[in-house]
Amino acid sequence: MLSLLNIDYSSMISTLPLDSGSSDSLSNFINNGLVGLVTEADTTYKIAGSVIALILALIGCFFGYKLSRLFMGITGFIAGAIIGQIVASQILHVEGFASVLCIILCGAVIASLAFWIYRIGIFILCFALAFSAAGTLFPFEGDVQFFANVITGLIVGVLAVKYMRPVIILTSAIVCGTSAAGLLPGVTEYMGITTLSSLNSSAALTLALCVLGIAVQFLTTKEPVKKTVPRHKHG
């Protein structure tokens, strides 16, 4: 779907076999009218997608721990959908509606497990965040890159199960803060705000968002209180 946003419609339409005689008006209409509309819609989709991604990244950076259950459910559904697609195509060998149904069911099951069984959700969420971040941290290629991503995800996921609050805060703030720093200059450039457009790939902006996200989350959340089973005194 995302590849549709990168099609050069102007070049594609310009290759159409239009007669230069009686069809001049049609050619002008296509090149000056339709291409402009398509290009404008193309840019609109990119702006909307970038703005939505930036908002989600900022929410994750500053409220990752508070909204961890919501993110667990979303991440669990995505992970389940990927598993469902593999099951449908590689094991069951089904297509069409049956494949879509399998993907939705697997996504719903994993999302439910991630949402209701807290430790499973914590592991899935932090594994996914660390897995995605490892691609930028380790400049490997091919299978080595995938292996490094998996190992990083497993380490962070296991640590998150044992040290939930600090690991979730650090992981969400760093990963989402880095993403927001990468998206912010592009969004401001789309909107014509040139002040921040020069900050593209700025280490200072990335560091500022990550540190601020970590500080805000630690200051606005508390360590969960462990429930203790009351002891009954005899006699």
Side-chain angles (χ1 to χ4, degrees), residues 17-226:
L18 297 174
D19 185 10
S20 60
S22 61
S23 60
D24 275 344
S25 59
L26 176 60
S27 177
N28 290 331
F29 172 72
I30 290 176
N31 287 304
N32 299 326
L34 292 182
V35 171
L37 290 175
V38 170
T39 304
E40 183 178 351
D42 181 33
T43 304
T44 302
Y45 282 126
K46 287 182 179 179
I47 295 174
S50 298
V51 170
I52 292 172
L54 175 60
I55 292 172
L56 291 176
L58 290 173
I59 290 174
C61 180
F62 294 103
F63 305 100
Y65 182 72
K66 284 187 174 182
L67 300 176
S68 58
R69 280 193 178 274
L70 174 62
F71 289 132
M72 285 178 210
I74 295 173
T75 308
F77 182 84
I78 294 173
I82 295 173
I83 295 172
Q85 197 279 329
I86 294 173
V87 170
S89 60
Q90 303 297 327
I91 299 176
L92 300 179
H93 302 289
V94 294
E95 297 179 354
F97 178 77
S99 176
V100 173
L101 184 62
C102 183
I103 291 172
I104 293 175
L105 286 176
C106 287
V109 169
I110 301 299
S112 299
L113 289 175
F115 187 84
W116 294 111
I117 304 178
Y118 195 65
R119 290 184 182 275
I120 292 179
I122 289 292
F123 177 83
I124 293 175
L125 175 62
C126 290
F127 175 90
L129 289 172
F131 181 91
S132 62
T136 57
L137 294 175
F138 307 119
F140 302 128
E141 294 182 358
D143 293 337
V144 177
Q145 178 69 74
F146 180 78
F147 181 74
N149 292 4
V150 170
I151 294 300
T152 304
L154 288 174
I155 292 173
V156 174
V158 170
L159 287 174
V161 172
K162 186 171 179 62
Y163 307 103
M164 292 183 187
R165 179 169 171 264
V167 173
I168 292 176
I169 289 176
L170 291 173
T171 306
S172 61
I174 292 173
V175 173
C176 296
T178 303
S179 299
L183 289 164
L184 185 59
V187 171
T188 55
E189 186 176 358
Y190 277 136
M191 294 181 173
I193 304 173
T194 58
T195 308
L196 294 175
S197 60
S198 60
L199 295 177
N200 192 19
S201 301
S202 169
L205 177 62
T206 303
L207 181 63
L209 281 174
C210 292
V211 171
L212 189 59
I214 292 171
V216 169
Q217 289 200 59
F218 270 114
L219 291 173
T220 58
T221 61
K222 295 180 179 180
E223 194 73 38
V225 179
K226 295 182 179 180

